[in-house]
Amino acid sequence: ADIEVLHWWTAGGEARALAEVVKKMEASGQRWRNFPVAGGGGDNAAIVLKTRVVSGYPPTAAQIKGPEIQEWAAEGYLADLSDIARAGGWDANLPPVVANAMKFGGHYVAAPVNIHRVNWMWANPAVLKKAGVEAPKSWDELIRTADKIQKAGLIPIAHGGQPWQDFTLLESVVLGNAGAAFYRKVFVELDPAAIQSPTMSKSLETFRTLHKYIDSGAPKREWNTATALVINGRAAFQFMGDWAKGEFTRAGKQPGRDFLCLAAPGTDKAFSYNIDSFVFFRRHHEDARKAQTDLANALMGTSFQESFNLAKGSIPARSNVRLDHFDDCARHSAEAFRASSQGNSLVPSIAHNMAVAPSVQAAMETIVSTYFNGSQPTREAQALLADAARNRKARN
Ligand SMILES: OC[C@H]1O[C@H](O)[C@H](O)[C@@H](O)[C@@H]1O
């Protein structure tokens, strides 16, 4: 049968990883019908998906993540994957944080394909050498380092001017400056007092200071175009999740030699997670359900979890996939995931829709991006963020 899948993996490394899924499906005799919606981060895809579902024309499967999964399940649109999960031993082979994110009312309604770490700093060692600087360990040190890089005529920070990319940068600043417990207070518990605290003011001011280290070509730039600036030695750093690594490896670059994968300043003991997953829209036709079962099984298959994540830059969601074929960055990520799960410094990525409901996430993303690209007083931005948080809580 046809299996039509809506997703937003159109950038080079993403498309290469997606090809692994298509290969698997075609091998199981299903016809893959691609429904890509361009736009990194997935904001566009979420809008297109809503339109299709509301007009009674949902795809067979779609890329949906975090609390949005529970929202769709609560509406009764998603197929129950419990039988597939039981037969596949998902509970035994997934870290609890991953398993729980895939469930609604204790039932699996989504299949996870990976664990991305968001709080990375990608660096070009040749650019650092040219500017005579070291990789910074704190955000204050980053600012001093960036000044030197800029004086050397190079771009300190490769960035794409899109709200989700701005939010991705802020989450690493808060995590690095104030730690995992404070991050949770602000971006998970939505605590208005923490949002309006001097600690948050400091992080917002550090965040906005970084704006002067991005180049004038940044507005609207896609994330992978920004990664190319680091790959090509025009820029020193990019703050982005490890989907960026898929771009370096696709360009034949070696970790440790051509690029460095470092934790964002001050975040080496923390892990901001982003889990990609697919849901399946309820279907009554037997063939369609068979195709959905085949895809769910393929996505959680050990060999697929290896081949997909080698291309994507993330680590497998399945905890029993050996990492022998993975590089040092991936092994570093897996170790950081393990250590931060034990050390209580594993946090859901706010910028990548893992922490709060989509509506409050979108409201905060807009406030954060407006603040980053303008001259709004910090206190004012904090008040708006606190309002967005309160509104959400009022609706709970
Ligand atoms: O498009 C950029 C990134 O956006 C989202 O965070 C997705 O989870 C990730 O898989 C993708 O690579």
Side-chain angles (χ1 to χ4, degrees), residues 8-9 14 40-41 63 65 116 164 223 243 274 276 312 352:
W8 68 88
W9 284 334
E14 297 171 334
Q63 180 186 6
K65 307 181 306 171
H116 270 300
W164 71 270
W223 66 271
W243 45 93
N274 169 28
D276 283 307
K312 187 73 172 63
H352 293 276

Side-chain angles (χ1 to χ4, degrees), residues 114-117 120 122 241-246 248-249 254-256 259-263 271 305-319 321-339:
N114 64 5
I115 302 171
H116 270 300
R117 188 185 194 193
W120 287 104
W122 307 95
D242 43 23
W243 45 93
K245 192 185 75 181
F248 286 98
T249 50
Q254 289 294 318
F259 70 98
L260 306 176
C261 49
L262 305 164
F271 191 113
Q305 289 254 335
E306 183 187 56
S307 59
F308 173 83
N309 285 291
L310 281 170
K312 187 73 172 63
S314 35
I315 56 174
R318 273 190 83 109
S319 22
V321 177
R322 296 174 60 86
L323 297 181
D324 306 20
H325 301 130
F326 285 78
D327 63 23
D328 288 348
C329 303
R331 281 196 281 272
H332 179 170
S333 183
E335 178 44 33
F337 182 83
R338 192 195 57 71

Side-chain angles (χ1 to χ4, degrees), residues 102-179:
M102 301 301 124
K103 291 178 177 175
F104 178 72
H107 293 261
Y108 278 98
V109 289
V113 291
N114 64 5
I115 302 171
H116 270 300
R117 188 185 194 193
V118 176
N119 54 306
W120 287 104
M121 171 171 69
W122 307 95
N124 182 314
V127 173
L128 299 188
K129 193 152 182 253
K130 226 186 254 172
V133 297
E134 305 280 321
K137 298 254 177 315
S138 72
W139 287 101
D140 290 344
E141 200 188 324
L142 182 265
I143 289 170
R144 291 192 293 277
T145 305
D147 279 332
K148 291 187 185 141
I149 295 168
Q150 210 159 41
K151 285 204 185 74
L154 297 149
I155 300 169
I157 300 177
H159 189 73
Q162 296 170 331
W164 71 270
Q165 295 193 53
D166 300 339
F167 211 177
T168 300
L169 182 56
L170 175 65
E171 78 167 56
S172 280
V173 172
V174 172
L175 199 54
N177 266 356

Side-chain angles (χ1 to χ4, degrees), residues 49-128:
L49 178 63
K50 262 209 178 86
T51 318
R52 284 198 50 172
V53 174
V54 170
S55 55
Y57 173 54
T60 324
Q63 180 186 6
I64 296 181
K65 307 181 306 171
E68 199 174 352
I69 296 171
Q70 280 73 36
E71 289 204 347
W72 281 104
E75 305 278 331
Y77 283 109
L78 304 186
D80 183 337
L81 307 178
S82 301
D83 298 346
I84 299 168
R86 204 171 303 112
W90 293 15
D91 270 341
N93 291 299
L94 290 173
V97 70
V98 177
N100 295 336
M102 301 301 124
K103 291 178 177 175
F104 178 72
H107 293 261
Y108 278 98
V109 289
V113 291
N114 64 5
I115 302 171
H116 270 300
R117 188 185 194 193
V118 176
N119 54 306
W120 287 104
M121 171 171 69
W122 307 95
N124 182 314
V127 173
L128 299 188

